[in-house]
Amino acid sequence: MPKLVIVVHYHEIWLKGGNRRFFLSKLHMALKRALDGLPVERILRPGDRLLIEFGEGASVEEAVARIERVFGVAFYAVARVVPRGGDDDLATLGRAAWEEVRGEKFSTFAVRSKRSDKSFPHPSTKIDTSVGQYLVDQLRVEGRAARVKLNDPELTCRIEIPPGPSLLVYARKIPGAGGLPPNTAGRMTCLLSGGFDSAVAAHKMMKRGAHLSFVHFWGGGARPGESSVHVARNLVRQLVPWQLSAKLYLVPFEPIQREIVARAPEEFRILLYRRMMLRIAERIARSGRSLGLITGDSLGQVASQTLRNMAAVGDAIRMPLYRPLAGDDKLEIMAAAEKIGTYAISAEPFHDCCPIFLPRNPALHSSPEELDRAESAMDVEALVRQGIENMATERYRYSAGRVEKVESFKSATA
Ligand code: ATP
Ligand code: MG
């Protein structure tokens, strides 16, 4: 008999159409990878849920901590495991169900069983009524007023009869990470600054099944140990478990900034930094077969994020640019950062490459033509190439519950 069983439910929404098998196998694979190193005995897929059976030495806390970061999971539950094949399986189920719900507060309930092993002698309707009746009796003994309600009950006590020596009972649902199973949507490239916003933006797109690579631009007068690179690395490490692996590109940006400072009008500097970042990221994205770029821009948050400025900046590239936080408030973004564990990392002091050479009066409303003109004294293509040539690449992988750096080529000088 398994020592621990966790039942995982997913939303049906993404199963519409012919994608069912594809999404389910991705979810199955992600769970397997997430639980790597734990004593998983088997993962069953009886119909519309997954049953994960653990053997000797399994820790509930560890398993739960891993499953929490698997997208595509709507909710999950730690099941009570009872032996099958005694004198009276229905009575065993009744007692286990009572143990399971007794401590819960509810005024209406239902019992729902799934018999994926058809050799079990009782049909599910029989299990439901028998266990339901037992619960009603026990509730009455305790003087509690709860009653059966099949349509939208406050508490659902679920029973699973999988093939094998055990019966499962669970009633306490834990909300999962939601979203679509990881790595089902295609690739994207995120401009990751080290601040709060871009990490949250990345997480939102990962949640919809995108597999992200990250580009971080560093430099701009950092003294040793002050650089933003360690913050970017820690953010990537924090985000990787949700998508299992990721690349981080580190681009030294100071030489490019100096060129912009030397050759373009001061008021447009920030916008031109952003344009150069997008161009370099687009180049990286194309070579990695990404289908879109992501930034953490939020409408009106700073001068460079007015609608006109975002349009003027975005005009520098052809690849679709996604700004998943465009309509979010800073407070919502901070709360999200807290929830996904990037808040404390982004809150670390670091030397952002942008404040240096900051204009005194940044343009609030530019246009693509104005920015084109502002760049006319620079060799834009040469600067893009310079960024690409000097970048370092790191690769991270999530395995056995840890994030490890698996490779890095060309030494990061930060
Ligand atoms: P964040 O909190 O993500 O840094 P922000 O509110 O500070 O965002 P900006 O600094 O104007 O806003 O940056 C807007 C977006 O441009 C960021 O969300 C990020 O996607 C990108 N970006 C800015 N600086 C960098 C950087 N050094 N490296 C990579 N991307 C950057
Ligand atoms: Mg920033």
Side-chain angles (χ1 to χ4, degrees):
M1 199 163 83
K3 290 286 172 225
L4 165 71
V5 178
I6 294 182
V7 186
V8 169
H9 286 249
Y10 40 85
H11 279 303
E12 285 294 324
I13 310 163
W14 42 263
L15 293 175
K16 297 218 175 88
N19 281 335
R20 188 185 166 90
R21 278 170 54 136
F22 170 70
F23 277 117
L24 275 180
S25 69
K26 286 284 193 182
L27 178 61
H28 188 142
M29 216 156 68
L31 282 165
K32 235 163 103 174
R33 277 284 294 279
L35 295 167
D36 191 17
L38 302 185
V40 175
E41 277 177 352
R42 56 177 184 168
I43 300 181
L44 301 171
R45 276 156 59 173
D48 57 358
R49 63 236 177 266
L50 293 104
L51 305 182
I52 309 171
E53 297 186 350
F54 296 85
E56 205 66 58
S59 138
V60 182
E61 292 76 31
E62 181 66 18
V64 161
R66 304 273 191 97
I67 292 172
E68 264 171 2
R69 290 198 272 183
V70 178
F71 286 131
V73 175
F75 68 88
Y76 60 97
V78 179
R80 210 166 274 274
V81 186
V82 290
R84 169 174 163 180
D87 294 345
D88 187 348
D89 281 337
L90 290 180
T92 307
L93 281 172
R95 283 192 298 273
W98 176 235
E99 287 304 312
E100 180 70 8
V101 305
R102 151 174 226 184
E104 302 298 304
K105 278 211 185 82
F106 58 96
S107 59
T108 56
F109 77 98
V111 177
R112 297 226 177 273
S113 55
K114 297 259 178 158
R115 188 179 56 141
S116 48
D117 180 358
K118 299 296 180 205
S119 73
F120 189 72
H122 310 286
S124 20
T125 43
K126 172 93 180 290
I127 303 171
D128 292 352
T129 45
S130 157
V131 173
Q133 188 55 52
Y134 186 81
L135 293 184
V136 167
D137 294 344
Q138 295 306 310
L139 287 161
R140 192 168 302 138
V141 169
E142 291 210 341
R144 291 169 63 176
R147 62 185 173 82
V148 173
K149 183 168 176 251
L150 296 181
N151 180 21
D152 197 24
E154 278 172 32
L155 178 128
T156 303
C157 181
R158 294 173 195 272
I159 292 170
E160 298 275 350
I161 319 287
S166 47
L167 307 168
L168 309 176
V169 178
Y170 61 99
R172 283 164 296 169
K173 292 204 253 180
I174 310 169
L180 303 179
N183 311 327
T184 48
R187 298 183 199 200
M188 300 186 82
T189 298
C190 176
L191 288 86
L192 186 73
S193 68
F196 294 99
D197 304 330
S198 38
V200 173
H203 188 264
K204 280 182 96 164
M205 300 310 285
M206 286 160 59
K207 183 171 181 173
R208 300 302 302 164
H211 183 89
L212 272 49
S213 294
F214 298 92
V215 186
H216 176 69
F217 299 88
W218 60 272
R223 285 190 291 272
E226 268 191 342
S227 159
S228 55
V229 168
H230 72 282
V231 176
R233 283 191 180 122
N234 287 340
L235 286 175
V236 170
R237 283 178 174 275
Q238 179 63 21
L239 292 169
V240 161
W242 278 283
Q243 63 166 26
L244 306 171
S245 66
K247 273 189 190 168
L248 168 62
Y249 299 92
L250 297 165
V251 182
F253 201 54
E254 182 170 344
I256 297 170
Q257 282 180 288
R258 288 198 180 278
E259 191 64 14
I260 292 171
V261 168
R263 298 193 191 274
E266 184 179 324
E267 59 175 326
F268 296 128
R269 273 178 201 167
I270 294 270
L271 303 178
L272 299 185
Y273 298 162
R274 294 282 173 270
R275 290 238 260 189
M276 289 309 301
M277 287 182 182
L278 284 180
R279 289 189 182 104
I280 293 169
E282 181 183 40
R283 196 68 57 95
I284 295 169
R286 286 200 193 287
S287 72
R289 301 196 309 280
S290 272
L291 298 169
L293 297 179
I294 301 166
T295 65
D297 297 309
S298 167
L299 179 57
Q301 196 185 87
V302 288
S304 56
Q305 294 168 21
T306 61
L307 282 180
R308 282 205 171 78
N309 279 347
M310 286 197 285
V313 166
D315 189 68
I317 54 164
R318 299 211 39 214
M319 182 174 274
L321 171 57
Y322 295 85
R323 295 175 166 109
L325 306 184
D328 289 349
D329 284 346
K330 194 72 185 180
L331 284 178
E332 293 167 340
I333 298 169
M334 298 303 225
E338 189 73 65
K339 204 168 146 210
I340 63 176
T342 57
Y343 186 96
I345 304 170
S346 292
E348 278 175 52
F350 66 88
H351 194 99
D352 191 0
C353 66
C354 291
I356 194 178
F357 319 128
L358 217 58
R360 279 177 299 264
N361 294 304
L364 286 175
H365 303 290
S366 67
S367 65
E369 298 71 31
E370 239 170 349
L371 296 189
D372 290 345
R373 270 198 304 281
E375 282 171 337
S376 59
M378 295 187 291
D379 186 343
V380 168
E381 174 55 28
L383 291 175
V384 171
R385 241 182 294 124
Q386 181 185 335
I388 299 281
E389 276 160 19
N390 292 315
M391 82 185 173
T393 307
E394 300 179 351
R395 206 191 294 266
Y396 294 84
R397 211 179 104 90
Y398 183 55
S399 104
R402 290 158 176 273
V403 176
E404 52 187 29
K405 192 194 275 190
V406 280
E407 245 181 293
S408 76
F409 16 107
K410 197 182 257 184
S411 66
T413 35

